[in-house]
Amino acid sequence: MAGSENAGDLSRILYVDLARRTYWVEERPELFTEHFGGAGAGIRLLSEECPQGTDPLSPKNPIVLAVGLMNGVFPLASKTVAMFKSPLTGNLGESHAGGRSSIAIRMAGYGAVVIRGKSESPVYLTIDEDGAKFRDASALWGMNSASTVGRIIREVEPGAGVRTIMRIGKAGERLIPYAYVTTETYRHFGRLGLGAVFGSKNLKAVVVSGKKSLKFKDPKAYRALYEELFNTFCKSPLMCKYHELGTPMNVLPLNMTGSLPSRNLQSNRFSGAQELSGENMAEKYLGRRTACAHCPVSCIHIAALREPYESEPYFYKTKMISYDYEPIYALGAMLDLKSPEGYLKLMDTVEELGLDAMSTGVVLAWATEAMERGIVKESDAGGLALKWGDHDTYIKAAKRIVSMENEFFQALAKGVRYASSKYGGEDFALEFGGNEMPGYHTGPVAHLGYLTGARHSHLDGAGYSIDQRMYKEGLKYTPEYAAKELFEEESWRQVLSSLVVCYFARGVYTPEAVSRCLRVLGLERSAEDLKERGRAILRQKYAFKYREGFSLRDLRIPKRICETPTPLGSITEEMIRAGLEEFERLVMG
Amino acid sequence: MVKRLSVVDVDLCVGCQSCMFACNRRFGEAGLGRSAIHIQSAGGIERGFVVRVCRACPDPPCSKVCPTGALIRREGGGVRLNYAKCIACGNCVRGCTLGAIFWDVELDKPTVCVYCGYCAGFCPYGVIRMEEVA
């Protein structure tokens, strides 16, 4: 039953065992008071649950879905953190998603859900305040489109408006190590292969719903602080920036400075930037903007694509396809697709299959260059001639990755690191710690950050933004400066992703503001305490990574990033290696 | 003058649910359990959203099906809930054609819009606003 509880009393962990079809709740208040939930709780739970050396696709790999103290309480605290061992990198797997996921988990009364074991047959979970139910998912297994799965569950399960429906597509079922989990159709736990971990457990979907109400010792103080924060967000430039054009507003500025990787980073400029710019996409295709629950920004941009049926005259369908900067980079710029329709069709295919758009784009870009250089032949690809800008062929290739129809596509299905180790072409295999490259070639710090980031994501330490600041202020790269900035930024982001606040809100949720929010929740933490906590969480992630065999010294640096200049000039391997050493000193410290 | 909450243009709604959280904060609480306004997708996010809230009917069906007279008609339209009289039978929830009466589990009583307009102050896109009943 939906009851009330004190907002600061988050402590319940729902454990689900898929093999035995049981669940239970454990009270773990310290995960929230000491570690704030989210990433802080997630890494502790993962370290407990995942034995050293676990095969990521074995039943022993747990799935942790964690929220934090600020979810459902303050605006823009709208994210859920997933922790698992990644089948793509073989190491720490962490991915964040919005939609309604965090509100649903929090309002069902849980701080985290831990999913163990493997179901004998396809299953989906429904979770509410009373616990978990195991539903037969045999009829949903093998469906062509992940959105159909969402449609069906939406009809047969209660909780419209206060639930999240996380699900996988075929890619997850077929254990592609860069398969996503999608939620509310357009938001994703995209990176590092959570979808394959779902698939390996025969877990098709997780539905969570809840409607709790949370009390405060001082309700007036809560209301006053909420109103102040809400008004600050509504007046801040981020609101307008992310609402109007969304993340694709970055296409033109990044292209102009020569930071937008195109044709597998053979170029730092994309000739289709104008067509795929946020401005053009909004003007010609934007059909709807939507928001995550409890976030007024509404950055999600959905294009309406009207397509004719070829079999019948005057007969059309309109598809609603989301677009963001990263997929435009990976499936647009990297593949040199200049037509928005072509890009949207490929995006739609990738969504339906259940693949991470970023990894898929980088994999296809590598494959195209490999074919261009004769490392692989058309015959390897079953007669498919991959060519820059040819979206129809890329759509076929994406489907063949998921069907893994021959040796070549089986290799691509394992990611760029594996494919290049098999066929050669490592120099232009754009992977960092096993994860495919994000869309910023802004300078050395971006790349250093892909290597040092605990998730090998551009969002870990936001190196691109450090590069951009150096560019603006005319600063020169030094390994000490770069490593320090990355370490401090990634550390602070651990606090945000523990609470769990969307990074778009980072300008408002300063250490001081977070400290005020926690006080309303009954926790006294100074800004300095918070920062120290962030460093501790990052070090704990690193402890997990090293336990599982990671080493900053063993990282491969793709030659290609040194061949194509950045706005800050050319990168050398020495620059990056020196930065890695500095970072190692900080993170081990 | 008697006021009610009006849905100006549902196509402006982005589904952020800030109004639902605002409604719950009337009680100084976070979350959603006591909200008298509800936003859900119209069959998937891609189809847009539905705003479920009391429209202050001039002849409210919820009041007609209340066996204890706890839902008192308000002059100009809409209802007022007399908590003391309410026996929590749930007839009003089933009786509202719009599905705009919800259940407050904490009180174990229905929850229905009180026409205060607090939620409208948190709708950044002008989907809802207070208006005078003609």
Side-chain angles (χ1 to χ4, degrees):
Chain A
M1 291 294 279
S4 290
E5 61 185 55
N6 290 324
D9 287 351
L10 192 53
S11 66
R12 284 157 58 87
I13 313 292
L14 178 71
Y15 288 85
V16 178
D17 185 330
L18 291 173
R20 284 187 239 152
R21 304 218 164 187
T22 56
Y23 68 86
W24 65 97
V25 172
E26 288 180 23
E27 301 275 348
R28 301 282 302 271
E30 81 289 353
L31 291 177
F32 301 91
T33 51
E34 296 306 312
H35 308 288
F36 309 138
I43 186 61
R44 291 196 87 83
L45 288 165
L46 180 69
S47 306
E48 287 169 15
E49 294 284 322
C50 182
Q52 188 172 357
T54 295
D55 171 355
L57 296 176
S58 78
K60 283 201 171 140
N61 190 15
I63 296 167
V64 179
L65 301 167
V67 299
L69 285 169
M70 282 168 62
N71 293 109
V73 177
F74 290 107
L76 280 85
S78 52
K79 296 265 184 165
T80 303
V81 171
M83 289 260 185
F84 50 98
K85 192 169 175 186
S86 165
L88 183 62
T89 64
N91 209 298
L92 176 65
E94 180 186 349
S95 196
H96 304 176
R100 291 191 186 131
S101 59
S102 73
I103 304 300
I105 294 171
R106 180 74 184 93
M107 293 306 140
Y110 305 110
V113 178
V114 175
I115 303 170
R116 291 180 179 169
K118 175 185 178 174
S119 170
E120 232 171 53
S121 56
V123 72
Y124 73 91
L125 287 173
T126 63
I127 293 171
D128 61 20
E129 290 161 54
D130 299 326
K133 291 194 179 72
F134 301 80
R135 308 268 203 217
D136 193 319
S138 311
L140 302 173
W141 206 260
M143 276 191 173
N144 283 329
S145 164
S147 64
T148 309
V149 174
R151 275 193 190 184
I152 292 163
I153 294 178
R154 198 184 293 142
E155 293 301 316
V156 298
E157 295 293 340
V162 294
R163 69 182 171 194
T164 185
I165 305 177
M166 307 172 187
R167 67 261 189 184
I168 59 170
K170 255 189 177 168
E173 293 175 6
R174 296 180 60 78
L175 312 181
I176 311 283
Y178 49 95
Y180 73 36
V181 171
T182 185
T183 184
E184 286 64 85
T185 314
Y186 299 115
R187 296 292 92 183
H188 312 89
F189 295 98
R191 309 230 68 194
L192 300 175
L194 181 62
V197 182
F198 267 53
S200 73
K201 295 182 173 311
N202 272 329
L203 179 61
K204 184 68 187 176
V206 176
V207 187
V208 189
S209 62
K211 255 194 111 168
K212 270 188 183 293
S213 191
L214 310 174
K215 292 180 187 305
F216 296 86
K217 273 207 185 89
D218 185 350
K220 273 194 189 148
Y222 166 57
R223 267 176 66 144
L225 180 56
Y226 187 104
E227 287 184 21
E228 179 193 323
L229 289 165
F230 192 90
N231 290 332
T232 309
F233 281 120
C234 287
K235 281 188 208 124
S236 76
L238 91 97
M239 184 85 168
C240 170
K241 196 165 104 173
Y242 289 116
H243 179 68
E244 275 184 2
L245 298 179
T247 55
M249 71 184 164
N250 287 322
V251 172
L252 288 179
L254 284 167
N255 189 56
M256 198 144 41
T257 51
S259 314
L260 175 50
S262 180
R263 287 184 286 121
N264 202 37
L265 193 57
Q266 291 179 35
S267 168
N268 58 18
R269 284 200 171 80
F270 169 38
S271 55
Q274 205 61 49
E275 287 82 354
L276 266 72
S277 66
E279 289 81 351
N280 192 53
M281 293 298 287
E283 235 169 74
K284 305 229 172 77
Y285 299 95
L286 181 59
R288 190 175 292 287
R289 292 190 190 107
T290 73
C292 294
H294 215 179
C295 175
V297 175
S298 157
C299 73
I300 307 165
H301 283 59
I302 305 171
L305 183 67
R306 185 168 178 257
E307 289 179 274
Y309 280 91
E310 274 160 23
S311 52
E312 198 177 330
Y314 305 115
F315 189 38
Y316 300 88
K317 62 178 167 187
T318 301
K319 291 207 108 179
M320 303 298 281
I321 306 159
S322 80
Y323 62 92
D324 256 303
Y325 173 73
E326 295 295 341
I328 287 177
Y329 141 73
L331 298 174
M334 282 292 261
L335 304 179
D336 213 16
L337 296 192
K338 297 180 195 62
S339 123
E341 282 92 351
Y343 157 73
L344 287 170
K345 284 180 192 168
L346 177 59
M347 180 68 212
D348 190 41
T349 303
V350 167
E351 285 268 28
E352 291 194 341
L353 290 168
L355 291 165
D356 173 36
M358 291 167 70
S359 286
T360 305
V362 175
V363 164
L364 291 174
W366 175 85
T368 309
E369 184 167 347
M371 203 172 270
E372 208 173 50
R373 289 171 180 268
I375 294 172
V376 292
K377 312 257 178 310
E378 258 180 65
S379 54
D380 293 321
L384 219 53
L386 296 169
K387 256 195 347 267
W388 304 119
D390 178 359
H391 65 262
D392 282 332
T393 305
Y394 287 128
I395 287 171
K396 285 182 197 143
K399 289 180 179 164
R400 289 189 194 185
I401 286 175
V402 173
S403 63
M404 294 186 274
E405 65 166 39
N406 68 17
E407 213 182 324
F408 177 62
F409 286 105
Q410 281 161 20
L412 294 185
K414 290 186 176 166
V416 149
R417 177 160 71 180
Y418 178 84
S420 63
S421 73
K422 186 175 162 81
Y423 289 94
E426 280 107 330
D427 289 353
F428 55 91
L430 291 164
E431 56 88 8
F432 297 82
N435 194 19
E436 282 74 19
M437 180 184 164
Y440 304 86
H441 188 56
T442 45
V445 193
H447 292 286
L448 180 60
Y450 304 151
L451 291 164
T452 60
R455 306 184 275 156
H456 305 287
S457 156
H458 59 296
L459 295 170
D460 287 328
Y464 60 95
S465 121
I466 301 166
D467 281 329
Q468 286 165 337
R469 195 165 69 230
M470 286 167 48
Y471 180 74
K472 234 201 223 145
E473 295 171 10
L475 298 175
K476 275 234 163 340
Y477 173 88
T478 70
E480 296 78 15
Y481 175 78
K484 180 100 198 323
E485 291 289 306
L486 282 171
F487 177 72
E488 285 301 322
E489 183 63 27
E490 188 169 359
S491 293
W492 172 244
R493 288 182 179 217
Q494 302 313 306
V495 176
L496 297 178
S497 60
S498 295
L499 289 166
V500 178
V501 167
C502 176
Y503 290 160
F504 286 171
R506 66 188 181 276
V508 174
Y509 285 124
T510 58
E512 292 70 25
V514 169
S515 175
R516 291 175 66 205
C517 291
L518 291 178
R519 184 171 309 135
V520 166
L521 286 156
L523 281 180
E524 289 295 336
R525 295 284 183 278
S526 71
E528 210 33 65
D529 287 348
L530 289 172
K531 288 190 205 162
E532 198 42 51
R533 189 69 248 157
R535 293 179 198 113
I537 296 169
L538 180 55
R539 287 189 175 120
Q540 189 165 11
K541 285 190 188 173
Y542 254 82
F544 182 90
K545 284 173 83 72
Y546 271 75
R547 190 192 89 180
E548 296 303 320
F550 177 82
S551 162
L552 284 162
R553 288 161 195 250
D554 297 343
L555 284 168
R556 204 183 64 83
I557 298 169
K559 277 223 173 72
R560 172 58 46 81
I561 69 166
C562 304
E563 291 163 357
T564 303
T566 76
L568 290 170
S570 287
I571 301 171
T572 65
E573 180 159 345
E574 294 69 50
M575 286 163 84
I576 303 289
R577 292 266 172 231
L580 288 173
E581 268 177 42
E582 283 299 320
F583 192 90
E584 187 179 45
R585 214 170 42 75
L586 292 167
V587 82
M588 295 302 162
Chain B
M1 272 309 255
V2 180
K3 292 193 168 182
R4 68 160 191 153
L5 193 73
S6 147
V7 180
V8 180
D9 179 356
V10 76
D11 283 319
L12 291 171
C13 182
V14 298
C16 72
Q17 304 184 323
S18 295
C19 55
M20 292 168 68
F21 286 95
C23 188
N24 216 69
R25 272 196 318 285
R26 290 182 300 137
F27 306 95
E29 295 183 12
L32 300 166
R34 315 186 70 178
S35 178
I37 183 168
H38 185 86
I39 309 294
Q40 66 185 68
S41 78
I45 306 279
E46 67 271 28
R47 291 164 199 264
F49 298 92
V50 172
V51 180
R52 276 164 58 198
V53 67
C54 176
R55 69 182 295 267
C57 315
D59 186 16
C62 58
S63 170
K64 289 180 204 168
V65 297
C66 177
T68 62
L71 274 171
I72 305 151
R73 285 159 176 258
R74 189 180 63 145
E75 201 178 323
V79 289
R80 221 163 20 85
L81 177 65
N82 181 336
Y83 284 90
K85 279 191 174 176
C86 173
I87 55 164
C89 68
N91 270 4
C92 53
V93 173
R94 292 184 292 277
C96 175
T97 316
L98 309 177
I101 298 186
F102 305 94
W103 203 257
D104 182 332
V105 175
E106 178 74 5
L107 295 175
D108 196 28
K109 296 277 158 124
T111 177
V112 60
C113 183
V114 295
Y115 323 108
C116 72
Y118 186 65
C119 58
F122 292 87
C123 178
Y125 302 108
V127 179
I128 45 176
R129 74 160 176 242
M130 289 301 281
E131 67 171 26
E132 290 182 352
V133 180

